[in-house]
Amino acid sequence: MQDPYAPIPRALAELALSRAAKSGASDAQLDLLRARLYSPAPVPNELVRRAAAQAGKLGLASTWRNIDATRFTFIDLFAGIGGMRLGAELAGGRCLQSVEWDPACQHTYHQNFGEVPDGDITALKPRKSKFKQHDLLLAGFPCQAFSIAGRKGGFEDTRGTLFRDVAEVIAAKKAAAFILENVKGLVLHDKRKTLPVILNTLTSAPVKYHLAAPSLDAKLSARGWAVLNALDFGVPQHRERIFIVGFRDKKAAERFAFPVPETPEIGRAHV
């Protein structure tokens, strides 16, 4: 995966701005280009689209493509209204594809990001051709029990669940990493049978990824997962979620660190 914070060469940024100014760009248009050129995280999507269009009019289309090439790519499965996508974009990512079946969520997602997600993930087959190649896979899949969980504890135990669809996409597209999100209750779900099957599926054939090292700061964490509370990261909401993280590269998995909670009082002060 490319470094999402890799800076755009200053010389390239200054050249783009200089050419835009000489071509008669307005101050507002220059501000859009400047924000996109010098910020590692993207400005709101609508501004990005407007700036991209302006870059084309000014003869800077190739420069814009070079800038976009520095961003990591991701797909957004079980996207909801785009919460995980927003976080990935703020980290510098570029979304290539989204999937969400609920019509109301699709409508809101379209309002937020200017695109309507693909619908039923179970119908998007074959996986290799229906999903675009990407660096990072995001998925907030539903919490479902496995019909024979505990017998083999692997890929075959996931038949008939939507997690199976996620696992199939991971296995088919072989992204550099994945981040899966679910409710905290997944840890205890189905008498603690569900989570081990998920983790075993992700580490064995045909998926075969390496799980991230456990968090040293989270109250609930083990190899591959941690329960994080939005309240500990400056958000005025008690929202605990489990995040499951894996990498194709074993060294990357060992280097990864779950985020350390910020000063808890910052978030709780707003409750």
Side-chain angles (χ1 to χ4, degrees), residues 231-235 260-266:
L231 198 61
D232 293 330
F233 296 90
V235 179
V260 177
E262 300 170 0
T263 305
E265 289 75 13
I266 294 177

Side-chain angles (χ1 to χ4, degrees), residues 13 30 45 57 178 207 235:
L30 289 174
N45 276 4
K57 293 178 181 178
F178 61 76
V207 185
V235 179

Side-chain angles (χ1 to χ4, degrees), residues 16-17 20-21 24-37 43-44 46-55 58 60 64:
L17 286 169
S26 67
D27 289 342
Q29 291 163 345
L30 289 174
D31 285 342
L32 286 175
L33 283 172
R34 192 175 291 111
R36 182 65 181 87
L37 288 166
V43 294
E46 179 58 29
L47 296 184
V48 172
R49 285 191 288 271
R50 286 163 53 191
Q54 185 62 31
L58 297 174
L60 298 173
W64 193 272

Side-chain angles (χ1 to χ4, degrees), residues 21 29 65 100 113 123 144 154 157 161 176-178 180 183 206 221-222 233 240 243 252:
Q29 291 163 345
R65 285 194 295 271
E100 170 58 51
F113 301 102
Q144 296 174 286
D157 286 358
T161 68
F178 61 76
L180 311 182
V183 296
S221 182
F233 296 90
E240 293 181 298
F243 292 89

Side-chain angles (χ1 to χ4, degrees), residues 78-98:
F78 301 98
I81 62 173
M84 291 186 75
R85 171 173 177 160
L86 181 60
E89 287 189 340
L90 290 174
R94 178 164 56 93
C95 186
L96 300 181
Q97 184 177 6
S98 56

Side-chain angles (χ1 to χ4, degrees), residues 17-263:
L17 286 169
S18 175
R19 291 182 61 186
K22 290 179 180 179
S23 300
S26 67
D27 289 342
Q29 291 163 345
L30 289 174
D31 285 342
L32 286 175
L33 283 172
R34 192 175 291 111
R36 182 65 181 87
L37 288 166
Y38 289 112
S39 174
V43 294
N45 276 4
E46 179 58 29
L47 296 184
V48 172
R49 285 191 288 271
R50 286 163 53 191
Q54 185 62 31
K57 293 178 181 178
L58 297 174
L60 298 173
S62 61
T63 299
W64 193 272
R65 285 194 295 271
N66 289 337
I67 293 168
D68 254 4
T70 67
R71 302 168 65 187
F72 71 88
T73 59
F74 65 93
I75 64 172
D76 191 15
L77 309 184
F78 301 98
I81 62 173
M84 291 186 75
R85 171 173 177 160
L86 181 60
E89 287 189 340
L90 290 174
R94 178 164 56 93
C95 186
L96 300 181
Q97 184 177 6
S98 56
V99 180
E100 170 58 51
W101 74 275
D102 183 83
C105 289
Q106 286 182 326
H107 175 76
T108 304
Y109 198 97
H110 178 259
Q111 295 298 310
N112 288 340
F113 301 102
E115 66 182 66
V116 178
D118 293 329
D120 185 1
I121 191 172
T122 64
L124 295 176
K125 297 180 180 181
R127 306 302 190 184
K128 285 188 177 181
S129 61
K130 293 296 184 178
F131 289 88
K132 296 180 180 179
Q133 196 59 48
H134 51 278
D135 299 314
L136 173 67
L137 179 142
L138 304 177
F141 65 98
C143 185
Q144 296 174 286
F146 302 119
S147 59
I148 54 172
R151 294 186 184 178
K152 297 180 180 178
F155 189 74
E156 290 306 311
D157 286 358
T158 65
R159 285 176 295 182
T161 68
L162 292 170
F163 170 73
R164 170 66 170 250
D165 296 280
V166 175
E168 288 177 351
V169 176
I170 295 173
K173 304 307 295 186
K174 303 186 186 304
F178 61 76
I179 301 176
L180 311 182
E181 179 264 350
N182 213 303
V183 296
K184 176 186 176 182
L186 181 66
V187 177
L188 302 177
H189 188 259
D190 195 20
K191 300 180 181 179
R192 297 181 181 269
K193 295 177 182 178
T194 303
L195 182 56
V197 174
I198 289 173
L199 299 177
N200 192 48
T201 298
L202 294 170
T203 55
S204 51
V207 185
K208 298 185 70 173
Y209 272 61
H210 301 280
L211 297 177
S215 169
L216 300 178
D217 300 284
K219 294 180 181 178
L220 287 175
S221 182
R223 168 68 63 177
W225 63 271
V227 173
L228 304 177
N229 190 345
L231 198 61
D232 293 330
F233 296 90
V235 179
Q237 181 184 17
H238 181 73
R239 184 182 178 89
E240 293 181 298
R241 293 293 184 270
I242 183 174
F243 292 89
I244 303 170
V245 180
F247 297 82
R248 287 188 66 196
D249 180 70
K250 185 176 182 179
K251 292 182 179 179
E254 294 303 323
R255 290 196 304 267
F256 175 83
F258 283 96
V260 177
E262 300 170 0
T263 305

